[in-house]
Amino acid sequence: MSELLTLTQDGLFSPQADAHIDPVRPVEKAIITHGHADHARAGHGAVLATRQTLDIMAIRYGENFCGQAQPIDYGEVLKVGSVDVSLHPAGHVLGSAQVLLRAGGQRTVVSGDYKRQDDPTCGPFELVPCDTFVTEATFALPVFRHPPAKQEIAKLLDSVKLFPEQTHLVGAYALGKAQRVLGELRASGYEKTIYLHGALEKLTAYYSSQDIDLGPLEAVGDRGKELAGEIVLCPPGQLNDRWARRFGDPICAMASGWMRVRARARQRGAELPLIISDHADWDDLCRTILETGAHQIWVTHGAEEALVHWCEQKGLSARPLNLIGYDDGEEAAE
């Protein structure tokens, strides 16, 4: 067991800091890793997080989402109880952080959700050496090896060229995924206006306010067939909804790590599955565990048993947390 971290019915808890990390219910003191709904809930007494995560929570839940919000910069050290707490980039979405707890010579890192791939819309993952590492396991099976995002974006752009008479609808989650798709399209040289479903507008506007260049954007509004040949981003649920019919016969794409699984692509109505994930794949999960130097690994929300088994084969002490209240990562926010 870690001396700095334990499990309660509300989730991970640091007794020495008297604070929970990403609790599943409202608590007195919460440290939040990022703004996705299964990690960031409203109603806490006090919340410690990066400024961007606090802003995102305010956008999603309203300005009074907690009793007291305290921002902390990456790398800044704050004494919470008897624990030194600092946040470090997780590379997951804008503002996402790993939580480093230090006391009594022990170092425990709660990674939240993280990825190692480059992302033009958030800072890169920072490796934090530690004794105990709490890792996600969303894609913790060897079948999940994510291709470079630019390769998947090239598939989308090739389809736009091949079928200029059709609108391309891209299903993408409102926080992180939609903005990453926009950023990757711009990085690939796509300069035309991209159109957004109303549900994506507020968070995308926030990203733009953070000096992230997403290029020319417009709301879809009442438009439909006149957007033939254009790229339109929408929440994944809209791909199979009546809303999509306004575009005539659109080509439906979906951006998610789950698009590696054909059944998931069919379920989402994705003719053009784009394997673009904001989580670490199998290789990056395993690599990160080893690179932290941690001798104790806690595994949460995902294919926990598979990653625990791999750790044990490497001679590491590992345990599944079996936490209830966390969804399958990429679909949690909607």
Side-chain angles (χ1 to χ4, degrees):
M1 293 290 291
S2 167
E3 297 178 8
L4 300 177
L5 205 61
T6 187
L7 277 176
T8 72
Q9 63 180 2
D10 296 319
L12 292 169
F13 178 68
S14 175
Q16 294 182 41
D18 190 26
H20 287 81
I21 300 175
D22 291 351
V24 297
R25 284 181 283 272
V27 298
E28 283 303 309
K29 288 197 295 186
I31 304 170
I32 302 299
T33 62
H34 66 281
H36 278 146
D38 60 334
H39 292 257
R41 292 169 166 84
H44 303 307
V47 170
L48 178 69
T50 64
R51 164 55 63 193
Q52 290 165 328
T53 291
L54 294 174
D55 288 346
I56 287 166
M57 292 179 73
I59 291 169
R60 303 197 108 174
Y61 302 128
E63 293 294 333
N64 298 318
F65 66 88
C66 71
Q68 180 182 359
Q70 181 169 357
I72 181 173
D73 293 333
Y74 289 131
E76 179 183 350
V77 179
L78 188 68
K79 181 73 77 173
V80 182
S82 60
V83 179
D84 287 333
V85 176
S86 56
L87 302 186
H88 303 266
H92 177 54
V93 297
L94 186 63
S96 62
Q98 305 170 81
V99 181
L100 171 61
L101 308 173
R102 291 183 292 168
Q106 293 293 308
R107 296 168 59 92
T108 293
V109 169
V110 180
S111 63
D113 292 336
Y114 64 96
K115 72 170 178 291
R116 304 291 297 266
Q117 278 196 1
D118 292 335
D119 182 339
T121 63
C122 71
F125 175 89
E126 176 185 306
L127 186 71
V128 183
C130 55
D131 306 295
T132 299
F133 184 57
V134 183
T135 181
E136 62 145 307
T138 303
F139 292 108
L141 290 171
V143 67
F144 291 112
R145 288 182 163 93
H146 303 323
K150 63 181 180 181
Q151 174 181 313
E152 300 302 287
I153 291 295
K155 287 163 49 177
L156 172 60
L157 293 177
D158 286 346
S159 183
V160 171
K161 290 177 183 177
L162 282 170
F163 303 101
E165 72 284 357
Q166 291 175 275
T167 304
H168 281 67
L169 296 185
V170 182
Y173 300 109
L175 172 57
K177 189 59 59 63
Q179 297 79 25
R180 187 179 180 198
V181 169
L182 291 169
E184 297 286 359
L185 280 165
R186 301 312 187 192
S188 295
Y190 188 81
E191 298 179 348
K192 293 180 64 179
T193 297
I194 299 173
Y195 297 85
L196 302 179
H197 183 282
L200 307 183
E201 290 181 49
K202 283 186 179 181
L203 285 167
T204 301
Y206 177 71
Y207 268 65
S208 295
S209 77
Q210 300 299 295
D211 295 324
I212 297 170
D213 184 10
L214 301 178
L217 305 170
E218 286 187 26
V220 170
D222 295 328
R223 284 175 284 204
K225 293 181 181 179
E226 61 265 42
L227 295 181
E230 307 293 349
I231 295 176
V232 175
L233 267 60
C234 64
Q238 298 299 318
L239 294 178
N240 292 318
D241 189 78
R242 183 170 54 189
W243 178 86
R245 298 175 198 162
R246 66 169 70 186
F247 302 101
D249 182 25
I251 292 176
C252 293
M254 168 79 184
S256 170
W258 292 112
M259 292 300 97
R260 173 71 73 184
V261 182
R262 290 180 182 178
R264 290 260 190 160
R266 287 196 298 270
Q267 181 186 27
R268 285 297 191 179
E271 306 163 67
L272 183 60
L274 305 174
I275 307 169
I276 300 175
S277 176
D278 289 328
H279 295 260
D281 64 5
W282 172 256
D283 290 332
D284 281 344
L285 287 167
C286 297
R287 174 167 69 104
T288 302
I289 288 169
L290 294 177
E291 288 179 349
T292 64
H295 55 79
Q296 185 167 238
I297 311 300
W298 292 9
V299 184
T300 184
H301 57 286
E304 298 180 5
E305 298 294 345
L307 198 54
V308 166
H309 178 68
W310 179 88
C311 288
E312 291 172 343
Q313 286 185 317
K314 297 295 180 181
L316 300 172
S317 174
R319 60 174 292 199
L321 296 187
N322 299 313
L323 288 173
I324 297 173
Y326 295 93
D327 297 314
D328 62 359
E330 304 228 326
E331 301 184 2
E334 309 307 317

